[in-house]
Amino acid sequence: MGAKKITIQDVKQAKKESRKLTMVTAYDYPFGLMADEAGVDIVLVGDSLGMVVLGLDGTVEVTMEHMIHHIKAVVRGCKNALVVGDMPFMSYNTSIREAIVNAGRLMKEGGCDVVKLEGGVDFAPTVEAIVKAGIPVQGHIGLTPQTASALGGFKMQGKDAQAARLIVDDAKALEDAGVFSMILEAVPAPLGEIVAKAVNIPVIGIGAGNKVDGQVLVTHDMIGLFDKFVPKFVKQYTKIRPIIIDAMKAYKKEVIEEVFPAEEHSFNMPEKTLEELKESLK
Ligand code: KIV
C-alpha cells in the first residue's frame, strides 16, 4: 500500500482485491518508525510486550498502564500504518461496561486507531458493544495466549473436526459482531483457508498457513531479538541478538583499552585555555 494513513476501510478492501495484508508488532518509537518505513499495513502493540520486552513469563500480568505507555510511543513512530492496541487480560473480561471504558482508554490515552481482543462466540456481545461505542475492533481466535493455560498451553488449536468447527463458528460470530478483521493463531493450514473463506473480512494468520488474507509476526521473534522460545510458525528473517551482543563486547574492549573514545569522539580545548586552567590549579 502507498504512503498514506491506512484505514480500516483499506484493510477490508484488501480482501476484496485479494491483496495480502502485512502486520508486525512494535512496542516503542524506533520499532514503530521502522515498521512504518518498511511499509507494513498494520502495527500491533501486542501484549506479547510482557514476554519480549518486559521479561514476564506470559501476557497475563500486562496492565492497561503498560499498554497505554507503549502504544503512545509506537503511535509517535507510525505515520501510515494502522496502529492496533491490544486489550490486556481482564481489561474486557469482567463486564461489557468495563470493556468499553478500557477500549476507550487505549484509544484516547494511547492514541491507537483500533483495539484488539481475544475470544470468539463468548466475546461477541462485548465486541458488538465496543463497536457500537464507535471503537473499531480486531478479533483474535484460535490460540489465544491470554487463556493459553485453559487451552492446554501454547499448542495448535482446532485439531479434530469438532474443535475446528468451533473456530469457524467463532470467526462467523466475530464478523456478525462487527470486527473489521481478525487474527487467527496456531491452527492447521487447511483450517486457516476454510476460516478465511467463511467470512468476508480479512483473516490475518500467525501459524495458520498461507491461504489466509495476511500474516502477522511478533517482530522480536522475526528478527531474532527474543529467542528464548521460537514457535514453529516463526521465520527468523535475521538474527539481530548476536550482532548487538558483539557490538557491546567490542565497545567494552575498546573502553578498557582506551581505544574509545578516539580523538574524533572527543571535544578539544584551546592550548591557551588549557594552560590557564593548569596555572590556576597550581
Ligand atoms: O500480542 C501479540 O503480539 C499478539 C500476536 C501474537 C498476534 O497477539
Side-chain angles (χ1 to χ4, degrees):
M1 287 187 183
K4 72 166 187 52
K5 181 74 187 174
I6 289 163
T7 64
I8 60 168
Q9 281 71 30
D10 295 327
V11 171
K12 287 184 183 169
Q13 189 61 25
K15 177 154 183 157
K16 294 199 181 100
E17 293 171 6
S18 300
R19 196 159 22 88
K20 293 278 186 185
L21 290 159
T22 51
M23 175 167 174
V24 295
T25 63
Y27 315 97
D28 58 21
Y29 174 70
F31 275 89
L33 267 182
M34 287 189 279
D36 215 52
E37 200 174 317
V40 298
D41 303 303
I42 309 172
V43 171
L44 167 65
V45 189
D47 62 357
S48 47
L49 161 76
M51 287 170 289
V52 304
V53 173
L54 302 179
L56 301 170
D57 286 335
T59 57
V60 165
E61 288 171 69
V62 174
T63 65
M64 281 293 293
E65 275 58 44
H66 288 141
M67 291 310 304
I68 289 168
H69 178 79
H70 288 269
I71 290 169
K72 272 181 170 169
V74 172
V75 165
R76 286 181 207 119
C78 290
K79 278 205 197 79
N80 304 319
L82 185 84
V83 179
V84 182
D86 218 358
M87 296 198 67
F89 185 54
M90 284 299 147
S91 67
Y92 58 93
N93 319 59
T94 50
S95 75
I96 286 184
R97 189 183 176 280
E98 202 172 348
I100 297 172
V101 168
N102 284 326
R105 282 192 68 199
L106 291 190
M107 272 184 101
K108 281 176 66 148
E109 297 175 42
C112 55
D113 301 304
V114 305
V115 302
K116 170 170 93 59
L117 60 85
E118 296 181 7
V121 171
D122 293 345
F123 282 89
T126 307
V127 167
E128 199 173 341
I130 299 174
V131 172
K132 274 203 182 125
I135 301 169
V137 179
Q138 181 173 63
H140 186 157
I141 55 172
L143 174 61
T144 45
Q146 291 173 6
T147 45
S149 48
L151 298 173
F154 288 85
K155 289 184 183 149
M156 189 188 78
Q157 301 297 305
K159 270 192 192 138
D160 56 50
Q162 200 190 348
R165 176 59 213 250
L166 290 177
I167 292 174
V168 178
D169 292 346
D170 281 338
K172 287 182 175 169
L174 286 183
E175 180 177 33
D176 289 346
V179 297
F180 71 95
S181 69
M182 67 189 82
I183 305 288
L184 177 60
E185 181 164 354
V187 299
L191 175 58
E193 186 173 1
I194 288 170
V195 172
K197 283 191 175 139
V199 293
N200 294 308
I201 47 168
V203 173
I204 300 175
I206 174 163
N210 63 7
K211 294 289 181 274
V212 286
D213 306 304
Q215 299 292 330
V216 56
L217 278 179
V218 169
T219 294
H220 289 44
D221 291 340
M222 186 185 75
I223 63 170
L225 184 55
F226 179 83
D227 58 6
K228 251 187 177 171
F229 171 69
V230 183
K232 175 180 165 61
F233 51 71
V234 167
K235 178 170 175 181
Q236 284 187 325
Y237 284 83
T238 184
K239 289 185 197 289
I240 206 81
R241 198 171 175 275
I243 296 173
I244 295 173
I245 294 172
D246 283 350
M248 288 177 176
K249 281 183 178 166
Y251 162 72
K252 179 180 172 176
K253 186 169 179 288
E254 289 197 356
V255 169
I256 291 167
E257 292 170 357
E258 289 188 9
V259 172
F260 176 82
E263 223 177 292
E264 68 264 33
H265 311 116
S266 305
F267 300 103
N268 218 335
M269 189 183 232
E271 199 58 40
K272 189 168 169 285
T273 313
L274 184 59
E275 284 311 317
E276 277 172 18
L277 172 65
K278 283 181 179 169
E279 200 55 40
S280 76
L281 291 170
K282 278 183 186 164

